[in-house]
Amino acid sequence: MTNSTTKRNEMKKLEKKIRRFIKERNWEKFHAPKNLAMALSVETAELVEIFQWMDAKESRTLDAATLKHLEEEIGDIMIYLTTLAKHFGLDPLSAAHKKILLNEKKYPLDGSIDL
Amino acid sequence: MTNSTTKRNEMKKLEKKIRRFIKERNWEKFHAPKNLAMALSVETAELVEIFQWMDAKESRTLDAATLKHLEEEIGDIMIYLTTLAKHFGLDPLSAAHKKILLNEKKYPLDGSIDL
Amino acid sequence: MTNSTTKRNEMKKLEKKIRRFIKERNWEKFHAPKNLAMALSVETAELVEIFQWMDAKESRTLDAATLKHLEEEIGDIMIYLTTLAKHFGLDPLSAAHKKILLNEKKYPLDGSIDL
Amino acid sequence: MTNSTTKRNEMKKLEKKIRRFIKERNWEKFHAPKNLAMALSVETAELVEIFQWMDAKESRTLDAATLKHLEEEIGDIMIYLTTLAKHFGLDPLSAAHKKILLNEKKYPLDGSIDL
Protein backbone atom coordinates (compact mmCIF):
# COMPACT_ATOMS: atom_id res chain seq x y z
CA MET A 1 0.00 0.00 0.00
CA THR A 2 1.51 3.36 -0.93
CA ASN A 3 1.62 6.24 1.54
CA SER A 4 -0.68 8.21 -0.62
CA THR A 5 -3.27 5.43 -0.72
CA THR A 6 -3.12 4.94 3.04
CA LYS A 7 -3.48 8.64 3.65
CA ARG A 8 -6.42 8.86 1.33
CA ASN A 9 -8.00 5.90 3.07
CA GLU A 10 -7.62 7.38 6.52
CA MET A 11 -9.05 10.73 5.48
CA LYS A 12 -11.80 8.94 3.55
CA LYS A 13 -12.91 7.16 6.70
CA LEU A 14 -13.38 10.48 8.48
CA GLU A 15 -15.01 12.10 5.43
CA LYS A 16 -17.47 9.22 5.20
CA LYS A 17 -18.40 9.47 8.88
CA ILE A 18 -18.92 13.21 8.59
CA ARG A 19 -20.97 12.89 5.43
CA ARG A 20 -23.28 10.33 7.04
CA PHE A 21 -23.70 12.50 10.13
CA ILE A 22 -24.65 15.51 8.02
CA LYS A 23 -26.91 13.56 5.67
CA GLU A 24 -28.85 11.90 8.50
CA ARG A 25 -29.67 15.35 9.91
CA ASN A 26 -30.39 16.89 6.50
CA TRP A 27 -27.86 19.67 7.14
CA GLU A 28 -26.30 19.79 3.65
CA LYS A 29 -28.40 22.83 2.83
CA PHE A 30 -26.52 24.87 5.44
CA HIS A 31 -23.08 23.86 4.21
CA ALA A 32 -22.19 26.33 1.49
CA PRO A 33 -18.39 26.76 1.67
CA LYS A 34 -18.90 30.37 2.77
CA ASN A 35 -20.90 29.16 5.78
CA LEU A 36 -18.40 26.41 6.57
CA ALA A 37 -15.60 28.98 6.55
CA MET A 38 -17.53 31.05 9.11
CA ALA A 39 -18.25 28.00 11.27
CA LEU A 40 -14.57 27.06 11.11
CA SER A 41 -13.59 30.51 12.37
CA VAL A 42 -16.14 30.33 15.19
CA GLU A 43 -14.78 26.96 16.35
CA THR A 44 -11.22 28.30 16.14
CA ALA A 45 -12.19 31.20 18.39
CA GLU A 46 -13.57 28.72 20.93
CA LEU A 47 -10.11 27.16 21.01
CA VAL A 48 -8.47 30.60 21.28
CA GLU A 49 -10.77 31.40 24.21
CA ILE A 50 -9.16 28.58 26.24
CA PHE A 51 -5.80 30.34 26.09
CA GLN A 52 -6.77 34.03 26.09
CA TRP A 53 -5.94 34.96 29.69
CA MET A 54 -3.05 32.51 30.21
CA ASP A 55 0.53 33.59 29.81
CA ALA A 56 2.68 31.58 27.40
CA LYS A 57 4.10 29.39 30.14
CA GLU A 58 0.73 28.53 31.68
CA SER A 59 -0.54 27.56 28.24
CA ARG A 60 2.02 24.73 28.08
CA THR A 61 0.35 22.62 30.76
CA LEU A 62 -3.41 22.20 31.01
CA ASP A 63 -5.47 20.48 33.69
CA ALA A 64 -7.52 17.42 32.71
CA ALA A 65 -10.83 19.25 32.23
CA THR A 66 -9.28 21.95 30.04
CA LEU A 67 -7.42 19.31 28.02
CA LYS A 68 -10.70 17.50 27.36
CA HIS A 69 -12.27 20.80 26.28
CA LEU A 70 -9.29 21.50 24.00
CA GLU A 71 -9.58 18.10 22.33
CA GLU A 72 -13.26 18.76 21.61
CA GLU A 73 -12.45 22.09 19.97
CA ILE A 74 -9.66 20.48 17.92
CA GLY A 75 -12.22 17.88 16.85
CA ASP A 76 -14.74 20.53 15.81
CA ILE A 77 -12.13 22.42 13.80
CA MET A 78 -11.00 19.22 12.06
CA ILE A 79 -14.60 18.29 11.22
CA TYR A 80 -15.35 21.64 9.56
CA LEU A 81 -11.94 21.78 7.88
CA THR A 82 -12.49 18.31 6.42
CA THR A 83 -16.05 19.10 5.34
CA LEU A 84 -14.97 22.29 3.60
CA ALA A 85 -11.95 20.65 1.96
CA LYS A 86 -14.04 17.70 0.79
CA HIS A 87 -16.46 20.03 -1.00
CA PHE A 88 -13.58 20.87 -3.36
CA GLY A 89 -12.08 17.38 -3.54
CA LEU A 90 -9.32 18.35 -1.12
CA ASP A 91 -8.26 16.97 2.24
CA PRO A 92 -6.39 18.58 5.17
CA LEU A 93 -3.74 15.88 5.46
CA SER A 94 -2.62 16.11 1.82
CA ALA A 95 -2.90 19.89 1.88
CA ALA A 96 -0.59 20.02 4.92
CA HIS A 97 2.02 17.83 3.22
CA LYS A 98 1.94 20.03 0.11
CA LYS A 99 2.15 23.21 2.19
CA ILE A 100 5.25 22.01 4.04
CA LEU A 101 7.00 21.63 0.67
CA LEU A 102 6.06 25.23 -0.17
CA ASN A 103 7.17 26.43 3.26
CA GLU A 104 10.55 24.73 2.81
CA LYS A 105 11.07 26.88 -0.28
CA LYS A 106 9.72 30.00 1.41
CA TYR A 107 11.93 29.61 4.48
CA PRO A 108 15.12 27.91 3.20
CA LEU A 109 17.60 26.58 5.75
CA ASP A 110 20.34 29.08 4.85
CA GLY A 111 18.35 31.57 6.91
CA SER A 112 17.28 33.83 4.09
CA ILE A 113 13.57 34.37 3.67
CA ASP A 114 12.24 33.83 0.18
CA LEU A 115 9.03 35.83 -0.02
CA MET B 1 -2.85 -3.39 10.70
CA THR B 2 -5.73 -2.00 12.76
CA ASN B 3 -7.49 1.20 11.76
CA SER B 4 -6.25 2.88 14.87
CA THR B 5 -2.64 1.99 14.09
CA THR B 6 -2.96 3.17 10.51
CA LYS B 7 -4.48 6.44 11.62
CA ARG B 8 -1.80 6.97 14.17
CA ASN B 9 0.81 6.19 11.57
CA GLU B 10 -0.63 8.62 9.05
CA MET B 11 -0.85 11.44 11.56
CA LYS B 12 2.60 10.52 12.87
CA LYS B 13 4.08 10.98 9.42
CA LEU B 14 2.75 14.53 9.27
CA GLU B 15 3.74 15.27 12.87
CA LYS B 16 7.27 14.08 12.15
CA LYS B 17 7.57 16.23 9.03
CA ILE B 18 6.31 19.28 10.91
CA ARG B 19 8.61 18.66 13.87
CA ARG B 20 11.65 18.41 11.59
CA PHE B 21 10.66 21.60 9.76
CA ILE B 22 10.33 23.51 13.03
CA LYS B 23 13.48 22.06 14.57
CA GLU B 24 15.64 22.85 11.53
CA ARG B 25 14.60 26.50 11.80
CA ASN B 26 14.89 26.62 15.58
CA TRP B 27 11.30 27.87 15.88
CA GLU B 28 10.26 25.77 18.92
CA LYS B 29 10.78 28.79 21.15
CA PHE B 30 7.88 30.60 19.45
CA HIS B 31 5.47 27.70 19.75
CA ALA B 32 3.83 28.07 23.14
CA PRO B 33 0.28 26.72 22.75
CA LYS B 34 -1.07 30.24 23.30
CA ASN B 35 0.92 31.47 20.31
CA LEU B 36 -0.08 28.49 18.18
CA ALA B 37 -3.74 29.19 18.96
CA MET B 38 -3.29 32.76 17.72
CA ALA B 39 -1.46 31.62 14.58
CA LEU B 40 -4.23 29.10 13.93
CA SER B 41 -6.84 31.87 14.11
CA VAL B 42 -4.82 34.09 11.77
CA GLU B 43 -4.58 31.30 9.18
CA THR B 44 -8.30 30.59 9.54
CA ALA B 45 -9.04 34.25 8.82
CA GLU B 46 -6.95 34.01 5.65
CA LEU B 47 -9.28 31.21 4.55
CA VAL B 48 -12.34 33.25 5.55
CA GLU B 49 -11.01 36.16 3.49
CA ILE B 50 -11.34 34.05 0.32
CA PHE B 51 -15.10 33.81 0.81
CA GLN B 52 -15.96 37.14 2.45
CA TRP B 53 -17.52 38.98 -0.51
CA MET B 54 -18.97 35.94 -2.30
CA ASP B 55 -22.57 34.94 -1.87
CA ALA B 56 -23.27 31.36 -0.77
CA LYS B 57 -23.80 30.13 -4.32
CA GLU B 58 -20.61 31.67 -5.69
CA SER B 59 -18.66 30.07 -2.85
CA ARG B 60 -19.56 26.59 -4.16
CA THR B 61 -17.41 26.85 -7.28
CA LEU B 62 -13.94 28.38 -7.27
CA ASP B 63 -11.63 29.10 -10.18
CA ALA B 64 -8.29 27.26 -10.34
CA ALA B 65 -6.17 30.03 -8.79
CA THR B 66 -8.57 30.51 -5.86
CA LEU B 67 -8.76 26.75 -5.33
CA LYS B 68 -4.95 26.60 -5.13
CA HIS B 69 -5.00 29.45 -2.62
CA LEU B 70 -7.69 27.66 -0.59
CA GLU B 71 -5.67 24.45 -0.47
CA GLU B 72 -2.67 26.38 0.86
CA GLU B 73 -4.75 27.92 3.64
CA ILE B 74 -6.23 24.51 4.52
CA GLY B 75 -2.66 23.22 4.67
CA ASP B 76 -1.56 26.04 7.00
CA ILE B 77 -4.51 25.47 9.32
CA MET B 78 -3.83 21.71 9.42
CA ILE B 79 -0.15 22.32 10.19
CA TYR B 80 -0.86 24.59 13.15
CA LEU B 81 -3.74 22.41 14.37
CA THR B 82 -1.48 19.34 14.30
CA THR B 83 1.40 21.18 16.00
CA LEU B 84 -0.86 22.44 18.78
CA ALA B 85 -2.56 19.05 19.25
CA LYS B 86 0.78 17.25 19.29
CA HIS B 87 2.01 19.46 22.15
CA PHE B 88 -0.67 17.79 24.30
CA GLY B 89 -0.32 14.28 22.85
CA LEU B 90 -3.46 14.75 20.77
CA ASP B 91 -4.12 14.60 17.04
CA PRO B 92 -6.83 16.20 14.87
CA LEU B 93 -7.93 12.96 13.18
CA SER B 94 -8.61 11.11 16.45
CA ALA B 95 -10.13 14.23 18.00
CA ALA B 96 -12.56 14.51 15.06
CA HIS B 97 -13.65 10.87 15.39
CA LYS B 98 -14.25 11.34 19.13
CA LYS B 99 -16.16 14.58 18.56
CA ILE B 100 -18.51 12.98 16.06
CA LEU B 101 -19.50 10.46 18.75
CA LEU B 102 -20.27 13.35 21.11
CA ASN B 103 -22.19 15.19 18.39
CA GLU B 104 -24.30 12.11 17.72
CA LYS B 105 -25.42 12.25 21.35
CA LYS B 106 -25.89 16.02 21.28
CA TYR B 107 -27.97 15.95 18.10
CA PRO B 108 -29.83 12.60 18.17
CA LEU B 109 -31.66 11.46 15.07
CA ASP B 110 -35.13 11.74 16.60
CA GLY B 111 -34.83 15.47 16.00
CA SER B 112 -34.62 16.54 19.62
CA ILE B 113 -31.59 18.54 20.61
CA ASP B 114 -29.78 17.26 23.69
CA LEU B 115 -27.88 20.25 25.05
CA MET C 1 -26.01 69.56 24.67
CA THR C 2 -26.70 66.24 26.36
CA ASN C 3 -24.08 63.51 26.41
CA SER C 4 -26.28 61.34 24.33
CA THR C 5 -26.63 63.98 21.62
CA THR C 6 -22.91 64.64 21.53
CA LYS C 7 -22.15 60.95 21.27
CA ARG C 8 -24.66 60.50 18.53
CA ASN C 9 -23.17 63.44 16.70
CA GLU C 10 -19.65 62.11 16.91
CA MET C 11 -20.63 58.68 15.69
CA LYS C 12 -22.80 60.27 13.02
CA LYS C 13 -19.82 62.11 11.62
CA LEU C 14 -17.94 58.84 11.18
CA GLU C 15 -21.00 57.03 9.83
CA LYS C 16 -21.50 59.77 7.27
CA LYS C 17 -17.89 59.62 6.11
CA ILE C 18 -18.05 55.85 5.78
CA ARG C 19 -21.35 55.95 3.92
CA ARG C 20 -20.00 58.47 1.40
CA PHE C 21 -16.84 56.39 0.89
CA ILE C 22 -18.89 53.25 0.22
CA LYS C 23 -21.44 55.01 -1.98
CA GLU C 24 -18.81 56.67 -4.16
CA ARG C 25 -17.32 53.25 -4.91
CA ASN C 26 -20.69 51.55 -5.34
CA TRP C 27 -19.79 48.93 -2.75
CA GLU C 28 -23.17 48.75 -0.96
CA LYS C 29 -23.98 45.59 -2.89
CA PHE C 30 -21.17 43.73 -1.07
CA HIS C 31 -22.23 44.86 2.37
CA ALA C 32 -24.79 42.33 3.54
CA PRO C 33 -24.36 42.08 7.33
CA LYS C 34 -23.13 38.50 6.91
CA ASN C 35 -20.31 39.74 4.68
CA LEU C 36 -19.49 42.63 7.00
CA ALA C 37 -19.22 40.19 9.91
CA MET C 38 -16.70 38.14 7.91
CA ALA C 39 -14.73 41.24 6.92
CA LEU C 40 -14.70 42.34 10.56
CA SER C 41 -13.22 39.00 11.60
CA VAL C 42 -10.58 39.18 8.87
CA GLU C 43 -9.49 42.64 10.02
CA THR C 44 -9.44 41.47 13.64
CA ALA C 45 -7.11 38.62 12.66
CA GLU C 46 -4.77 41.13 11.01
CA LEU C 47 -4.56 42.86 14.39
CA VAL C 48 -4.03 39.50 16.16
CA GLU C 49 -1.21 38.73 13.71
CA ILE C 50 0.77 41.69 15.07
CA PHE C 51 0.92 40.07 18.51
CA GLN C 52 1.02 36.36 17.70
CA TRP C 53 4.71 35.60 18.34
CA MET C 54 5.29 38.21 21.08
CA ASP C 55 5.14 37.28 24.72
CA ALA C 56 2.80 39.28 26.94
CA LYS C 57 5.53 41.64 28.09
CA GLU C 58 6.82 42.39 24.58
CA SER C 59 3.27 43.18 23.50
CA ARG C 60 3.15 46.11 25.93
CA THR C 61 5.63 48.24 24.01
CA LEU C 62 5.63 48.50 20.22
CA ASP C 63 8.09 50.23 17.93
CA ALA C 64 6.85 53.15 15.81
CA ALA C 65 6.25 51.15 12.63
CA THR C 66 4.27 48.45 14.44
CA LEU C 67 2.26 51.07 16.29
CA LYS C 68 1.34 52.70 12.98
CA HIS C 69 0.31 49.29 11.64
CA LEU C 70 -1.75 48.65 14.78
CA GLU C 71 -3.59 51.96 14.44
CA GLU C 72 -4.50 51.09 10.84
CA GLU C 73 -5.95 47.75 11.91
CA ILE C 74 -7.89 49.40 14.74
CA GLY C 75 -9.22 51.84 12.15
CA ASP C 76 -10.30 49.03 9.81
CA ILE C 77 -12.07 47.19 12.63
CA MET C 78 -13.87 50.36 13.73
CA ILE C 79 -14.95 51.09 10.15
CA TYR C 80 -16.51 47.65 9.64
CA LEU C 81 -17.99 47.60 13.15
CA THR C 82 -19.63 50.98 12.55
CA THR C 83 -20.89 49.98 9.09
CA LEU C 84 -22.41 46.77 10.43
CA ALA C 85 -23.94 48.49 13.47
CA LYS C 86 -25.36 51.29 11.32
CA HIS C 87 -27.19 48.78 9.13
CA PHE C 88 -29.32 47.97 12.19
CA GLY C 89 -29.56 51.52 13.53
CA LEU C 90 -26.94 50.78 16.19
CA ASP C 91 -23.58 52.35 16.96
CA PRO C 92 -20.47 50.95 18.71
CA LEU C 93 -20.14 53.78 21.24
CA SER C 94 -23.70 53.46 22.58
CA ALA C 95 -23.49 49.66 22.46
CA ALA C 96 -20.32 49.77 24.58
CA HIS C 97 -21.95 51.99 27.19
CA LYS C 98 -24.96 49.66 27.40
CA LYS C 99 -22.74 46.59 27.63
CA ILE C 100 -20.76 48.00 30.54
CA LEU C 101 -24.03 48.32 32.48
CA LEU C 102 -24.77 44.65 31.75
CA ASN C 103 -21.23 43.65 32.70
CA GLU C 104 -21.53 45.47 36.01
CA LYS C 105 -24.49 43.22 36.84
CA LYS C 106 -22.76 40.11 35.51
CA TYR C 107 -19.57 40.74 37.48
CA PRO C 108 -20.72 42.51 40.67
CA LEU C 109 -18.09 44.04 42.93
CA ASP C 110 -18.68 41.64 45.82
CA GLY C 111 -16.67 39.14 43.80
CA SER C 112 -19.47 36.72 43.02
CA ILE C 113 -20.14 36.00 39.37
CA ASP C 114 -23.74 36.40 38.29
CA LEU C 115 -24.11 34.29 35.15
CA MET D 1 -15.36 73.29 20.51
CA THR D 2 -13.37 71.70 17.70
CA ASN D 3 -14.37 68.36 16.22
CA SER D 4 -11.20 66.85 17.47
CA THR D 5 -11.85 67.94 21.05
CA THR D 6 -15.42 66.69 20.98
CA LYS D 7 -14.33 63.36 19.60
CA ARG D 8 -11.62 63.04 22.18
CA ASN D 9 -14.12 63.90 24.89
CA GLU D 10 -16.64 61.32 23.74
CA MET D 11 -14.05 58.58 23.52
CA LYS D 12 -12.58 59.71 26.84
CA LYS D 13 -15.91 59.19 28.55
CA LEU D 14 -16.01 55.58 27.38
CA GLU D 15 -12.33 55.02 28.18
CA LYS D 16 -12.88 56.33 31.70
CA LYS D 17 -15.88 54.09 32.29
CA ILE D 18 -13.96 51.06 31.04
CA ARG D 19 -10.90 51.90 33.13
CA ARG D 20 -12.98 52.19 36.28
CA PHE D 21 -14.75 48.89 35.54
CA ILE D 22 -11.42 47.09 35.09
CA LYS D 23 -9.75 48.75 38.08
CA GLU D 24 -12.61 47.94 40.45
CA ARG D 25 -12.26 44.26 39.56
CA ASN D 26 -8.46 44.29 39.61
CA TRP D 27 -8.32 42.91 36.06
CA GLU D 28 -5.46 45.06 34.76
CA LYS D 29 -3.06 42.16 35.25
CA PHE D 30 -4.87 40.16 32.56
CA HIS D 31 -4.82 42.97 30.01
CA ALA D 32 -1.54 42.65 28.20
CA PRO D 33 -2.21 43.84 24.63
CA LYS D 34 -1.57 40.29 23.39
CA ASN D 35 -4.40 39.01 25.61
CA LEU D 36 -6.70 41.87 24.63
CA ALA D 37 -6.12 41.03 20.96
CA MET D 38 -7.17 37.43 21.64
CA ALA D 39 -10.24 38.54 23.61
CA LEU D 40 -11.17 40.88 20.78
CA SER D 41 -11.03 38.02 18.28
CA VAL D 42 -13.14 35.79 20.55
CA GLU D 43 -15.82 38.49 20.81
CA THR D 44 -15.73 39.03 17.06
CA ALA D 45 -16.33 35.32 16.52
CA GLU D 46 -19.38 35.52 18.80
CA LEU D 47 -20.73 38.16 16.44
CA VAL D 48 -19.83 36.03 13.40
CA GLU D 49 -21.69 33.10 14.97
CA ILE D 50 -24.95 35.06 14.76
CA PHE D 51 -24.70 35.14 10.97
CA GLN D 52 -22.98 31.85 10.15
CA TRP D 53 -25.93 29.82 8.87
CA MET D 54 -27.95 32.71 7.40
CA ASP D 55 -27.79 33.56 3.74
CA ALA D 56 -26.89 37.14 2.83
CA LYS D 57 -30.52 38.19 2.45
CA GLU D 58 -31.62 36.75 5.79
CA SER D 59 -28.74 38.57 7.48
CA ARG D 60 -30.26 41.94 6.51
CA THR D 61 -33.22 41.65 8.87
CA LEU D 62 -32.93 40.29 12.39
CA ASP D 63 -35.66 39.56 14.93
CA ALA D 64 -35.69 41.54 18.18
CA ALA D 65 -33.90 38.92 20.31
CA THR D 66 -31.11 38.47 17.76
CA LEU D 67 -30.75 42.23 17.38
CA LYS D 68 -30.33 42.57 21.13
CA HIS D 69 -27.70 39.83 21.06
CA LEU D 70 -25.93 41.57 18.18
CA GLU D 71 -25.81 44.88 20.05
CA GLU D 72 -24.22 43.15 23.03
CA GLU D 73 -21.52 41.64 20.85
CA ILE D 74 -20.88 45.00 19.17
CA GLY D 75 -20.55 46.45 22.68
CA ASP D 76 -18.05 43.79 23.75
CA ILE D 77 -15.94 44.33 20.63
CA MET D 78 -15.96 48.10 21.14
CA ILE D 79 -14.94 47.70 24.80
CA TYR D 80 -11.93 45.52 23.99
CA LEU D 81 -10.99 47.61 20.96
CA THR D 82 -11.04 50.78 23.07
CA THR D 83 -9.10 49.15 25.92
CA LEU D 84 -6.42 47.89 23.55
CA ALA D 85 -6.19 51.20 21.67
CA LYS D 86 -6.01 53.17 24.92
CA HIS D 87 -3.00 51.14 26.06
CA PHE D 88 -1.09 52.76 23.20
CA GLY D 89 -2.66 56.22 23.48
CA LEU D 90 -4.91 55.52 20.48
CA ASP D 91 -8.68 55.50 20.07
CA PRO D 92 -10.94 53.69 17.57
CA LEU D 93 -12.82 56.79 16.43
CA SER D 94 -9.69 58.74 15.46
CA ALA D 95 -8.09 55.62 13.98
CA ALA D 96 -11.16 55.11 11.77
CA HIS D 97 -11.04 58.70 10.49
CA LYS D 98 -7.33 58.35 9.66
CA LYS D 99 -7.89 55.01 7.96
CA ILE D 100 -10.60 56.40 5.70
CA LEU D 101 -8.08 58.95 4.43
CA LEU D 102 -5.65 56.12 3.64
CA ASN D 103 -8.40 54.09 1.99
CA GLU D 104 -9.33 57.03 -0.22
CA LYS D 105 -5.78 56.96 -1.56
CA LYS D 106 -5.73 53.17 -1.84
CA TYR D 107 -9.03 53.02 -3.73
CA PRO D 108 -9.19 56.26 -5.73
CA LEU D 109 -12.45 57.20 -7.42
CA ASP D 110 -11.12 56.77 -10.96
CA GLY D 111 -11.59 53.04 -10.41
CA SER D 112 -7.95 52.06 -10.41
CA ILE D 113 -6.66 50.25 -7.34
CA ASP D 114 -3.53 51.72 -5.82
CA LEU D 115 -1.94 48.88 -3.85
Side-chain angles (χ1 to χ4, degrees), chain B residues 3-66:
Chain B
N3 287 345
S4 166
T5 313
T6 314
K7 185 164 53 197
R8 236 174 15 243
N9 285 346
E10 280 312 307
M11 280 306 310
K12 268 189 180 154
K13 222 172 293 169
L14 179 60
E15 289 165 5
K16 215 171 143 183
K17 237 193 212 174
I18 294 173
R19 194 176 333 123
R20 207 199 50 210
F21 180 87
I22 294 170
K23 208 179 157 66
E24 285 172 348
R25 280 153 191 83
N26 199 21
W27 284 353
E28 297 97 336
K29 59 180 173 293
F30 297 117
H31 285 187
K34 183 183 178 87
N35 295 2
L36 291 170
M38 292 178 91
L40 180 69
S41 76
V42 169
E43 296 302 335
T44 301
E46 291 180 7
L47 184 150
V48 168
E49 194 175 12
I50 296 175
F51 298 105
Q52 68 185 334
W53 306 123
M54 297 180 189
D55 66 28
K57 201 185 159 190
E58 286 167 336
S59 80
R60 293 185 182 276
T61 318
L62 302 180
D63 61 46
T66 308

Side-chain angles (χ1 to χ4, degrees), chain A residues 3 6-7 10-11 13-14 17-18 20-21 24-25 27-29 31-35 37-38 40-41 44 47-48 51-56 59-62 67 70-72 74-79 81 84-85 87-88 90-100 102-104 107-109, chain B residues 3 6-7 10-11 13-14 17-18 20-21 24-25 27-29 31-35 37-38 40-41 44 47-48 51-56 59-62 67 70-72 74-79 81 84-85 87-88 90-100 102-104 107-109:
Chain A
N3 287 346
T6 313
K7 185 164 52 196
E10 280 313 308
M11 280 306 311
K13 221 170 294 167
L14 179 60
K17 237 192 210 174
I18 294 173
R20 206 200 51 208
F21 179 87
E24 285 172 347
R25 281 154 190 82
W27 285 354
E28 298 96 336
K29 58 180 174 296
H31 286 187
K34 182 184 178 86
N35 295 2
M38 292 177 91
L40 180 69
S41 76
T44 301
L47 185 150
V48 168
F51 297 105
Q52 68 185 334
W53 305 122
M54 296 180 189
D55 66 27
S59 80
R60 292 185 183 275
T61 316
L62 302 179
L67 197 60
L70 176 67
E71 188 169 20
E72 290 181 19
I74 291 171
D76 277 329
I77 293 169
M78 184 61 177
I79 290 168
L81 191 63
L84 175 60
H87 179 93
F88 297 104
L90 305 171
D91 77 83
L93 211 43
S94 307
H97 279 289
K98 277 197 200 177
K99 193 52 170 56
I100 290 173
L102 287 177
N103 288 349
E104 284 170 346
Y107 305 103
L109 280 182
Chain B
N3 287 345
T6 314
K7 185 164 53 197
E10 280 312 307
M11 280 306 310
K13 222 172 293 169
L14 179 60
K17 237 193 212 174
I18 294 173
R20 207 199 50 210
F21 180 87
E24 285 172 348
R25 280 153 191 83
W27 284 353
E28 297 97 336
K29 59 180 173 293
H31 285 187
K34 183 183 178 87
N35 295 2
M38 292 178 91
L40 180 69
S41 76
T44 301
L47 184 150
V48 168
F51 298 105
Q52 68 185 334
W53 306 123
M54 297 180 189
D55 66 28
S59 80
R60 293 185 182 276
T61 318
L62 302 180
L67 197 59
L70 176 67
E71 188 170 19
E72 290 180 19
I74 291 171
D76 277 330
I77 292 169
M78 184 61 176
I79 291 169
L81 190 63
L84 176 60
H87 179 92
F88 297 103
L90 305 171
D91 77 83
L93 211 43
S94 306
H97 279 289
K98 277 197 201 175
K99 195 49 170 57
I100 291 173
L102 287 177
N103 288 348
E104 283 170 346
Y107 304 103
L109 280 182

Side-chain angles (χ1 to χ4, degrees), chain C residues 2-3 6-8 10-11 13-14 17-18 20-21 24-25 27-35 37-38 40-42 44-45 47-48 51-57 59-62 67-68 70-79 81-82 84-85 87-88 90-105 107-109, chain D residues 2-3 6-8 10-11 13-14 17-18 20-21 24-25 27-35 37-38 40-42 44-45 47-48 51-57 59-62 67-68 70-79 81-82 84-85 87-88 90-105 107-109:
Chain C
T2 68
N3 286 345
T6 314
K7 185 164 54 197
R8 240 182 3 251
E10 280 313 307
M11 280 307 310
K13 221 170 295 169
L14 179 60
K17 238 193 210 174
I18 294 173
R20 205 200 52 209
F21 180 87
E24 285 171 348
R25 281 152 191 84
W27 284 354
E28 297 96 337
K29 59 181 174 293
F30 298 117
H31 286 187
K34 184 184 177 85
N35 295 3
M38 292 177 91
L40 180 69
S41 75
V42 169
T44 301
L47 184 151
V48 168
F51 297 104
Q52 67 185 334
W53 305 122
M54 296 179 189
D55 66 28
K57 201 185 159 190
S59 80
R60 292 184 182 276
T61 318
L62 302 180
L67 197 60
K68 193 171 165 297
L70 176 67
E71 188 169 19
E72 290 180 20
E73 300 303 345
I74 291 171
D76 277 330
I77 293 169
M78 184 61 176
I79 291 168
L81 190 63
T82 301
L84 176 60
H87 179 92
F88 297 104
L90 305 172
D91 77 84
L93 212 43
S94 307
H97 279 288
K98 277 196 200 176
K99 194 50 170 56
I100 290 174
L101 292 179
L102 287 177
N103 288 348
E104 284 170 346
K105 283 184 195 161
Y107 304 103
L109 280 182
Chain D
T2 68
N3 287 345
T6 314
K7 185 163 54 197
R8 235 173 16 241
E10 280 312 308
M11 280 306 311
K13 220 171 296 169
L14 179 60
K17 236 192 211 174
I18 294 174
R20 205 200 52 208
F21 179 87
E24 285 172 346
R25 281 152 191 83
W27 285 353
E28 298 97 336
K29 58 181 175 293
F30 297 118
H31 286 187
K34 182 183 178 87
N35 295 2
M38 292 178 90
L40 181 69
S41 76
V42 170
T44 301
L47 185 150
V48 168
F51 298 105
Q52 68 185 335
W53 305 122
M54 297 179 189
D55 66 27
K57 202 185 158 190
S59 80
R60 290 185 184 276
T61 317
L62 302 179
L67 197 60
K68 192 171 165 297
L70 175 67
E71 188 169 19
E72 290 181 19
E73 299 303 345
I74 290 171
D76 277 329
I77 293 169
M78 184 62 176
I79 290 169
L81 190 63
T82 300
L84 176 60
H87 179 92
F88 297 104
L90 305 171
D91 77 83
L93 211 44
S94 307
H97 279 288
K98 277 197 200 176
K99 193 51 170 55
I100 290 174
L101 292 179
L102 288 177
N103 287 349
E104 283 170 346
K105 283 184 195 160
Y107 305 102
L109 280 181

